[in-house]
Amino acid sequence: MTSEHPPAARGRPRKLTADAVVDAAVALIVEDGFTSLSTRSLAQRLGVRSSTLYSYFGSVEEIAEAAVSRMLDGIRVPDLGTAADPVDALVRFFVDLRDLLIAHPDAIPARLDSRPWAQMVGMVNTLLRQFLEHGLTVDRAAACYEALIGVTMASAATARRAQQASAAEIELLLTELDPTDTDTLLRLRTWASEPDDVRFRSTVRELVRWMLPALGGSGR
């Protein structure tokens, strides 16, 4: 006698996909950081058993790598040849990268054979190629990129530190300056009073205009 209902299919649950696992991992990371990501926390969020996740990924490290890759997918290298304002397009790119590094300092991949690392290399190559197309020598193009990425990473680290620092600590840094140098002190106080993202945008814009005058004019 045949059963009225076909036997349940074995293997992967029908409603779960690898993309859904990655989506849940990104959501966990965004909410609570990389340290919150585990097979248990992910399984709880998805409403499945931890063992189910291994039907899609070999380890939680693979899931974390896929999540970082998804985050990097949202950061697009601008096409400087078609952008209405190439300088502004570059500023937006580095702002997006900085925002990611502030929220998730562990997002920079460590494994050279990982997809996120390949994405980062692809971004670098795309930027360098465009810098060369705008008349920079190889050495200057490389120096331009290193300066911009260095400022971005340093600014992200400073912003993370500032989130933990008290107003009294910041004020103490300023009071350590020589009080006789009033002009410098006043300028630094004005600079420090600006939101850090405003300072960062201004810094990147000035660097781009200085190193890539063909984009925005060094004197503007």
Side-chain angles (χ1 to χ4, degrees), residues 5 29 38-39 44 59 61 69 73 80 90 98 115 127 134 139 161 177 179 189 205 208 211 218:
H5 304 289
I29 292 168
S38 66
T39 51
Q44 287 177 342
S59 65
E61 288 76 20
S69 182
D73 280 340
L80 303 179
L90 267 179
R98 174 181 179 269
R115 183 167 183 265
L127 278 176
H134 281 82
D139 287 348
R161 176 68 183 91
L177 293 170
R189 286 184 184 278
R205 187 174 295 277
V208 170
M211 293 183 289
S218 58

Side-chain angles (χ1 to χ4, degrees), residues 94-95 97-103 105 108 145-163 191 196-197 199-201 203-204 207:
F94 283 103
V95 165
L97 186 57
R98 174 181 179 269
D99 287 346
L100 177 63
L101 293 175
I102 290 173
I108 294 296
Y145 172 77
E146 285 189 354
L148 289 167
I149 196 66
V151 164
T152 301
M153 295 180 72
S155 179
T158 300
R160 289 196 306 273
R161 176 68 183 91
Q163 290 170 356
W191 175 83
D196 66 304
D197 61 320
R199 294 197 303 268
F200 175 72
R201 288 172 184 271
T203 299
V204 172
L207 276 174

Side-chain angles (χ1 to χ4, degrees), residues 70-122:
R70 177 73 59 79
M71 292 175 176
L72 289 173
D73 280 340
I75 301 178
R76 304 286 182 182
V77 178
D79 184 341
L80 303 179
T82 60
D85 185 339
V87 176
D88 189 55
L90 267 179
V91 171
R92 286 199 307 271
F93 168 75
F94 283 103
V95 165
D96 289 344
L97 186 57
R98 174 181 179 269
D99 287 346
L100 177 63
L101 293 175
I102 290 173
H104 309 294
D106 298 325
I108 294 296
R111 286 179 42 238
L112 301 185
D113 61 342
S114 67
R115 183 167 183 265
W117 183 266
Q119 287 172 279
M120 292 293 291
V121 171

Side-chain angles (χ1 to χ4, degrees), residues 157-181:
T158 300
R160 289 196 306 273
R161 176 68 183 91
Q163 290 170 356
Q164 303 167 356
S166 66
E169 287 179 293
I170 296 172
E171 182 65 22
L172 181 62
L173 291 175
L174 292 175
T175 56
E176 289 297 314
L177 293 170
D178 185 349
T180 59
D181 195 352

Side-chain angles (χ1 to χ4, degrees), residues 127-129 131-132 136-146:
L127 278 176
L128 290 179
R129 175 179 51 77
F131 290 169
L132 293 173
L136 269 67
T137 63
V138 172
D139 287 348
R140 190 169 178 83
C144 182
Y145 172 77
E146 285 189 354

